[in-house]
Amino acid sequence: MKTVPFRPLALGVAVLAVTVLLFGRARAGDQDYYPPVTDKITLQECGSCHIAFPPSMLPAASWKRMMGELANHFGDDASVDADTAAAITRYLTGQAGDASGRPGKLLRGLRPGEAPLRITELPKWVHEHDEVPKADWTRKDVGSKANCGACHLDAQQGYFEDD
Ligand code: HEC
Ligand code: HEC
């Protein structure tokens, strides 16, 4: 006697396959999504003067270097106590653009071992912005290249599409 095919399972597998396919596509197409900071301490200490920049936008070596020089942070004193610094460093390096071993989108063109402090000086960042008109940078509500949110309205949520 023949076994009856287990149709509900087959259907379930098919639905799952389609879901994975669609989900995979949507994610792969999300070129402008950089997961935002979710760590409370990092958000609090690194999101008060500017947005808390997405950790994947710099390599781990950059975050380590920056966290070691917070007393002179682009001319500001952004220092925190040693325990807080250690916790933030752990979080940022763990989520860094090269943490998985595969360099993230904005890190392309960076030489291994380089530890730039500015996202806005990454070769890929400069390239992504080389067609932005000069007048946009000098707009009063922009003020600085580092003021991502002035142009990328959903920067805090991790979206950096062309707004
Ligand atoms: C007291 C204010 C202050 C605090 C707190 C602060 N920053 Fe900054 N940060 C600045 C200033 C000022 C700049 C330079 C902004 C500019 O060029 O317009 C800057 C720039 C940066 C940049 C470079 C932006 C670029 O040009 O690509 C990064 C990355 C950064 N900060 C990360 C951090 C991290 C991580 C923390 C938390 C440990 C932090 N900041 C806390 C004031 C601060
Ligand atoms: C003066 C406005 C302005 C500021 C400030 C700005 N950007 Fe942009 N950015 C743009 C524009 C416009 C584009 C799209 C350029 C294009 O497609 O030619 C863009 C593109 C990008 C992209 C590529 C998006 C994609 O579709 O792949 C990223 C990532 C990005 N910006 C990140 C940042 C970050 C991070 C900051 C702050 C450190 C920042 N931008 C500041 C205007 C700005």
Side-chain angles (χ1 to χ4, degrees):
M1 201 174 108
K2 269 194 183 167
T3 48
V4 179
F6 190 26
R7 286 183 202 285
L9 179 65
L11 184 67
V13 167
V15 167
L16 186 71
V18 169
T19 308
V20 166
L21 196 72
L22 290 177
F23 187 63
R25 283 233 180 101
R27 292 278 299 236
D30 250 354
Q31 282 296 315
D32 49 15
Y33 179 66
Y34 294 79
V37 168
T38 52
D39 177 65
K40 267 202 192 127
I41 299 173
T42 308
L43 261 181
Q44 194 177 311
E45 302 294 344
C46 306
S48 53
C49 299
H50 45 64
I51 66 156
F53 297 107
S56 66
M57 288 191 166
L58 285 174
S62 292
W63 294 123
K64 265 191 212 135
R65 186 180 156 207
M66 187 177 301
M67 292 304 296
E69 304 172 351
L70 282 185
N72 184 7
H73 179 75
F74 305 93
D76 272 12
D77 183 353
S79 49
V80 291
D81 67 68
D83 285 351
T84 306
I88 294 174
T89 305
R90 252 196 319 275
Y91 175 73
L92 291 174
T93 55
Q95 308 292 315
D98 59 350
S100 68
R102 205 165 49 94
K105 292 169 277 184
L106 273 187
L107 305 190
R108 285 177 210 148
L110 211 59
R111 287 186 300 276
E114 261 189 295
L117 293 179
R118 281 194 183 272
I119 297 160
T120 52
E121 287 176 359
L122 295 170
K124 179 79 174 160
W125 190 95
V126 172
H127 178 71
E128 293 282 9
H129 293 87
D130 60 8
E131 283 178 14
V132 180
K134 263 219 180 80
D136 283 8
W137 300 113
T138 51
R139 254 164 46 199
K140 228 197 261 142
D141 65 320
V142 176
S144 163
K145 286 180 183 172
N147 189 10
C148 322
C151 304
H152 301 287
L153 303 181
D154 297 321
Q156 306 244 43
Q157 284 73 49
Y159 288 97
F160 290 83
E161 67 265 38
D162 182 1
D163 279 309

